[in-house]
Amino acid sequence: MAAEWRPTAGRPALAAAAAVRRRLRDFLEARGYLEVETPQLSATANPDPAVEPFSVAGDAGPLWLATSPEFPMKRLLAAGSGPVYQLARAFRREEQGRRHNPEFTLLEWYAPEVTPAAFIDEAVALVAAGLGEEPAVSRLTYAEAFIEACGVDPHRAGADELVRAACEAGLNAAGMEGEDDPRPWRHLLQGCLVEPALAERGLVVITDFPADDAALARIRPPWGPDGPAVAERFEIYLHGLELANGYHELTDPAEQRRRFEADNERRRAAGQQPLPVDEHLLAALEAGLPDACGMALGVDRLVMAATGATAMEEVLAFPTRRA
């Protein structure tokens, strides 16, 4: 039997995808961003346990395919590049499905000397430009969205309270028995209850994430004696589908190293391979990363939204399983 060689996406979908990419480029170029390219192979990798890279054999040891161009783009910022963007191929070992493909396209852009509020406004305008329409926009803090969907304060709830919320909602927590870290339970509730509740809101910006979900974002101290510290992290959803994830970028090299080491400890505890820390990024932070905001946007998901597609294979010519 002959192998199926035809693309899963027809010419109209491919043309729509090209139009989305062109509108994204036009938007950023008009605002003074410089398009750049960075390597897809590296001797280091992001140790975030939630992001699993592909490895390939190199002459001097394993190399990792980029899960994001973030680290080298920050090195460009530290070297004085000014605002930069990249339409990059990215690779992540994750479950393949309607909204996921192991190889995908990310738009990442970084702006120095901009406030998070101004950057978020620009990001919303960029998404609208990519869609070719102006969607209704809602803005919620992470706590507002979480309490509305789950009835639990995500900044103060411990694992026990989050477990009760998950059980009351009848969620499948197989494999999480005995887990006393609140983060996995919060992520379960976020994926199963919070994000679906955003589906009727159109385009939603979520801000002020829990401090232990900062990833590479700064942490803002509490505003009052009873207020929580929050991560200056923001995400954009469209009809419940996450499109983009951004940060007010961490610039402290010691804190960044501490987070990398903590991530590798979490990887060891979960039976995942620890990954080599990017010393080049840490050296760039030592040299001085400017105050900046950055964001990564899933271009294939944006194309799905722009075309009304319900599965990624409708907008990709050759999804990984058909390559």
Side-chain angles (χ1 to χ4, degrees):
M1 181 177 177
E4 179 55 73
W5 58 269
R6 295 172 181 81
T8 58
R11 180 178 173 81
L14 299 179
V20 169
R21 293 192 296 269
R22 184 166 55 250
R23 291 195 294 268
L24 294 172
R25 279 194 168 98
D26 288 347
F27 181 98
L28 291 168
E29 295 281 347
R31 285 158 178 78
Y33 283 82
L34 174 69
E35 183 172 11
V36 298
E37 291 184 341
T38 56
Q40 292 183 332
L41 278 175
S42 175
T44 63
N46 183 351
D48 184 341
V51 180
E52 194 64 32
F54 287 98
S55 64
V56 299
D59 291 341
L63 298 172
W64 280 268
L65 286 167
T67 56
S68 158
E70 178 171 3
F71 293 177
M73 290 185 75
K74 286 181 176 177
R75 291 166 60 188
L76 290 175
L77 277 181
S81 67
V84 289
Y85 80 95
Q86 181 171 183
L87 278 162
R89 302 298 283 177
F91 306 85
R92 298 182 184 180
R93 296 182 65 172
E94 58 185 18
E95 183 178 351
Q96 188 165 346
R98 292 189 306 110
R99 299 177 172 185
H100 299 275
N101 194 64
E103 179 182 2
F104 58 100
T105 301
L106 274 179
L107 170 66
E108 292 220 10
W109 72 105
Y110 294 86
E113 310 304 335
V114 63
T115 66
F119 186 80
I120 290 170
D121 288 343
E122 181 179 74
V124 169
L126 173 62
V127 170
L131 289 171
E133 62 180 74
E134 295 282 346
V137 180
S138 300
R139 297 174 187 248
L140 297 169
T141 66
Y142 187 93
E144 288 170 338
F146 207 94
I147 292 169
E148 182 178 303
C150 308
V152 176
D153 184 342
H155 296 294
R156 294 180 172 83
D160 290 346
E161 188 174 356
L162 295 168
V163 169
R164 284 196 298 272
C167 291
E168 289 171 2
L171 301 184
N172 180 2
M176 295 177 63
E177 297 83 357
E179 178 61 69
D180 59 3
D181 182 345
R183 280 174 294 187
W185 294 105
R186 206 165 52 229
H187 296 162
L188 176 67
L189 289 163
Q190 179 181 334
C192 295
L193 299 181
V194 180
E195 292 177 0
L198 303 177
E200 302 303 318
R201 289 181 175 269
L203 194 147
V204 183
V205 179
I206 304 292
T207 60
D208 295 351
F209 278 64
D212 60 3
D213 268 340
L216 290 98
R218 299 186 186 201
I219 294 176
R220 189 174 68 237
W223 283 345
D226 298 323
V230 297
E232 293 189 287
R233 174 178 178 176
F234 27 89
E235 293 188 351
I236 297 177
Y237 289 82
L238 184 62
H239 303 308
L241 175 65
E242 182 190 343
L243 291 181
N245 179 37
Y247 310 131
H248 187 191
E249 301 294 347
L250 180 66
T251 59
D252 182 340
E255 172 62 13
Q256 186 61 78
R257 183 180 294 278
R258 187 197 68 77
R259 292 189 194 179
F260 282 159
E261 291 171 351
D263 281 342
N264 267 329
E265 284 303 314
R266 290 168 59 204
R267 292 183 70 86
R268 291 186 185 95
Q272 297 169 273
Q273 177 187 5
L275 297 172
V277 168
D278 192 333
E279 295 291 345
H280 292 100
L281 172 63
L282 294 171
L285 297 184
E286 287 278 4
L289 183 71
D291 187 356
C293 291
M295 182 166 266
L297 183 149
V299 176
D300 305 317
R301 288 185 173 188
L302 187 64
V303 174
M304 286 176 61
T307 60
T310 59
M312 198 165 283
E313 65 181 18
E314 297 174 44
V315 300
L316 297 178
F318 301 108
T320 298
R321 64 177 177 274
R322 296 285 297 274

